Amino acid sequence: MNLSTRQMRAFLQVARMGNFTRAAEQAHITQAGLSILIREMEKQLGCRLFDRTTRVVSLTPAGRRLLPVVERLVTDLDDVAAELGAEGDAARQTLRIAATPLVSSHLLPRVFTTFRAAHPQVSLRLFDADLRDVEAMVAAGDADVGLGFFFKAAAGLERTPVGRFHLMRVAPCDGDEEEPPAIGTAPWSALRSAELLGLPPGNPIQKVIDQHLATIGRADAQRPAFNFFGTLISMVEAGFGTAVMPTFALAACRRHRVRTDVLTKPKVGLDFFRITKRGAHETEAMQAFVATLEKALPALSR
């Protein structure tokens, strides 16, 4: 026996209407098609389900025994389908984003504000974590998208560039400056005599920075190192030295009394990526958010 939901729904319609013509109209199929479904069902069960006369269609004893079972099965199926559909709609309307701390605290609030104004029906959830945890959350399905400087694609993840930032010098302000000036430019050679601070030597961004510091004789892995850009900026402001970091930290720098200059000769760019789980469906909400992010990033890096 292999009863289909179409057969069971046809059975319920005839049982409720007591008439094949009206039941066919309610089911939006032809009367002949409805009759075929019922005959196939009776054939599989090996018994008649309806007594048919020219004036009335009534359930047989077998049909009366079957009716509550089919009603329960179809009702349960409809209830579960409705619940799953609602859960799917909620999932499509919730976007979970994982990003590194400085991105979370200084880039994304402005992006979130713009996105929420255009898409008020989408709920945004932000998880701030270090780069490895961002990758782990996306890989585990706990976040829909991760944002950061991912120099290599991790297994099971897809990596797509969404913006580009440049390396800049962050230096203490002169004591007589009332307000830090707008971002300027400075050659790498300007760092030859600076007291440098940095990220840990194993940090991928620091590795790129060290490659260029080496060309001016400043590849010193023993310099003071800090794990977070926010700490670096505060240490620079306090006068402990000068740091090199991507321009995505500009918004954070502007909250401190520090000078910022894009480093030139050469001007070094770093791609900013989004990562997603390989094979995961990209919802309309995610597409809209990425479009908002890509449009906003250039203004956040100057």
Side-chain angles (χ1 to χ4, degrees), residues 4-5 26 38 79 92 122 128 144 176 194 202 216 221 230 252-253 287:
S4 69
T5 54
Q26 289 290 323
I38 297 300
D79 289 346
R92 285 189 290 273
V122 180
D128 55 342
D144 301 304
D176 57 352
I216 60 170
C253 289
Q287 293 172 353

Side-chain angles (χ1 to χ4, degrees), residues 95-100 103 127 129-163 271-282 286 289-290 293-294:
L95 191 57
R96 302 165 301 167
I97 300 164
T100 50
V103 174
F127 306 98
D130 64 33
L131 211 60
R132 290 182 180 178
D133 286 340
V134 169
E135 288 182 325
M137 291 183 70
V138 175
D142 296 326
D144 301 304
V145 61
L147 299 172
F149 292 96
F150 300 97
F151 288 82
K152 294 181 180 179
L157 298 177
E158 292 185 356
R159 186 180 63 135
T160 307
V162 291
D271 285 329
F272 186 73
F273 292 93
R274 70 175 172 110
I275 57 172
T276 54
K277 191 172 184 179
R278 182 165 291 130
H281 173 64
E282 190 167 287
M286 186 186 298
F289 178 81
V290 170
L293 178 68
E294 291 177 332

Side-chain angles (χ1 to χ4, degrees), residues 104-267:
S104 298
S105 60
H106 289 87
L107 260 67
L108 290 184
R110 292 171 63 180
V111 176
F112 274 29
T113 298
T114 302
F115 179 81
R116 199 163 52 177
H119 305 276
Q121 78 282 6
V122 180
S123 173
L124 293 173
R125 296 181 62 191
L126 175 62
F127 306 98
D128 55 342
D130 64 33
L131 211 60
R132 290 182 180 178
D133 286 340
V134 169
E135 288 182 325
M137 291 183 70
V138 175
D142 296 326
D144 301 304
V145 61
L147 299 172
F149 292 96
F150 300 97
F151 288 82
K152 294 181 180 179
L157 298 177
E158 292 185 356
R159 186 180 63 135
T160 307
V162 291
R164 189 169 177 82
F165 296 95
H166 293 89
L167 292 179
M168 66 177 177
R169 176 184 68 176
V170 181
C173 280
D174 294 336
D176 57 352
E177 288 179 337
E178 294 184 2
E179 186 175 337
I183 187 168
T185 60
W188 281 87
S189 58
L191 297 173
R192 280 200 180 100
S193 59
E195 185 74 25
L196 293 177
L197 309 174
L199 298 164
N203 183 285
I205 295 177
Q206 189 62 46
K207 288 181 179 180
V208 175
I209 294 170
D210 286 340
Q211 290 173 6
H212 292 277
L213 289 176
T215 65
I216 60 170
R218 295 303 311 273
D220 180 13
Q222 300 304 313
R223 72 178 63 91
F226 303 92
N227 290 312
F228 301 106
F229 286 114
T231 308
L232 266 180
I233 296 168
S234 294
M235 295 300 288
V236 170
E237 182 183 33
F240 285 94
T242 296
V244 178
M245 61 188 69
T247 50
F248 86 99
L250 268 174
C253 289
R254 287 172 178 149
R255 297 171 183 248
H256 298 263
R257 285 185 49 78
V258 294
R259 292 180 58 92
T260 52
D261 300 284
V262 174
L263 288 164
T264 59
K265 300 181 182 179
K267 189 176 183 181

